[in-house]
Amino acid sequence: MGSHLWWYVEPYEPDVAAVLHRVRQREFQAGRYSPVIPYPAFPVNAHSPAPGTPHDSIDDALEAADADGTRTILDVPGLAASDDDWGMRQLSDEALLNLFGTTQPTLTQVQASDALTEPLGRGESLYVVAYAAGQPAHLYFTGYSFD
């Protein structure tokens, strides 16, 4: 079985770690992860299923998901502190220039890019700051599940 792509779009805030933490908590509380929903649908919006969680914690949910992972942002422990650390990484300026011709891509550009996730392996994730009128406007979190 192949891995599954997931993504979330959130309003921009400078504290990316706090936004990531909040999205993980929201998705956990909503129960939008495997095994509660075996294959969560993306993009997540106000009409997405939210059956609630039967698990006591994200760690319990990860244990229940086993080696396949949750197929969601719950599989990401946080932001990577270094290149050797496990976690979500910001797409580099060099990669942004190669993909979009700018270090300030719009959300439309980011969402339309099939090449954005090509370098990601199973269980890997990244984020991009998307711009509107030259200002940071959105955080785009994406990655692949383990299965």
Side-chain angles (χ1 to χ4, degrees), residues 3-25:
S3 59
H4 297 273
L5 179 67
W6 51 260
W7 69 93
Y8 302 84
V9 177
E10 298 295 321
Y12 176 79
E13 291 179 28
D15 189 345
V16 177
V19 177
L20 177 59
H21 176 77
R22 189 170 52 248
V23 173
R24 290 180 79 235
Q25 290 299 317

Side-chain angles (χ1 to χ4, degrees), residues 7 18 29 35 39 95 124 134 137:
W7 69 93
Q29 292 298 323
Y39 294 94
E124 294 183 335

Side-chain angles (χ1 to χ4, degrees), residues 74-99:
L74 295 187
D75 294 329
V76 179
L79 297 179
S82 71
D83 288 342
D84 298 326
D85 192 22
W86 183 255
M88 186 175 286
R89 289 177 170 67
Q90 183 173 13
L91 197 63
S92 71
D93 284 349
E94 179 182 349
L96 289 168
L97 285 170
N98 287 337
L99 285 170

Side-chain angles (χ1 to χ4, degrees):
M1 181 175 273
S3 59
H4 297 273
L5 179 67
W6 51 260
W7 69 93
Y8 302 84
V9 177
E10 298 295 321
Y12 176 79
E13 291 179 28
D15 189 345
V16 177
V19 177
L20 177 59
H21 176 77
R22 189 170 52 248
V23 173
R24 290 180 79 235
Q25 290 299 317
R26 180 191 71 210
E27 295 306 294
F28 170 69
Q29 292 298 323
R32 284 190 287 259
Y33 60 88
S34 180
V36 179
I37 299 174
Y39 294 94
F42 294 92
V44 171
N45 61 44
H47 304 291
S48 296
T53 180
H55 301 100
D56 292 330
S57 67
I58 290 176
D59 286 340
D60 288 347
L62 291 168
E63 187 174 321
D66 202 29
D68 289 342
T70 66
R71 300 183 178 112
T72 71
I73 203 164
L74 295 187
D75 294 329
V76 179
L79 297 179
S82 71
D83 288 342
D84 298 326
D85 192 22
W86 183 255
M88 186 175 286
R89 289 177 170 67
Q90 183 173 13
L91 197 63
S92 71
D93 284 349
E94 179 182 349
L96 289 168
L97 285 170
N98 287 337
L99 285 170
F100 307 112
T102 179
T103 58
Q104 296 184 358
T106 66
L107 183 59
T108 301
Q109 288 175 299
V110 173
Q111 290 177 313
S113 176
D114 291 332
L116 177 64
T117 56
E118 283 179 5
L120 292 178
R122 290 178 177 199
E124 294 183 335
S125 59
L126 61 83
Y127 75 93
V128 176
V129 176
Y131 288 76
Q135 297 297 315
H138 294 94
L139 292 169
Y140 185 86
F141 298 114
T142 188
Y144 279 104
S145 65
F146 291 104
D147 65 340

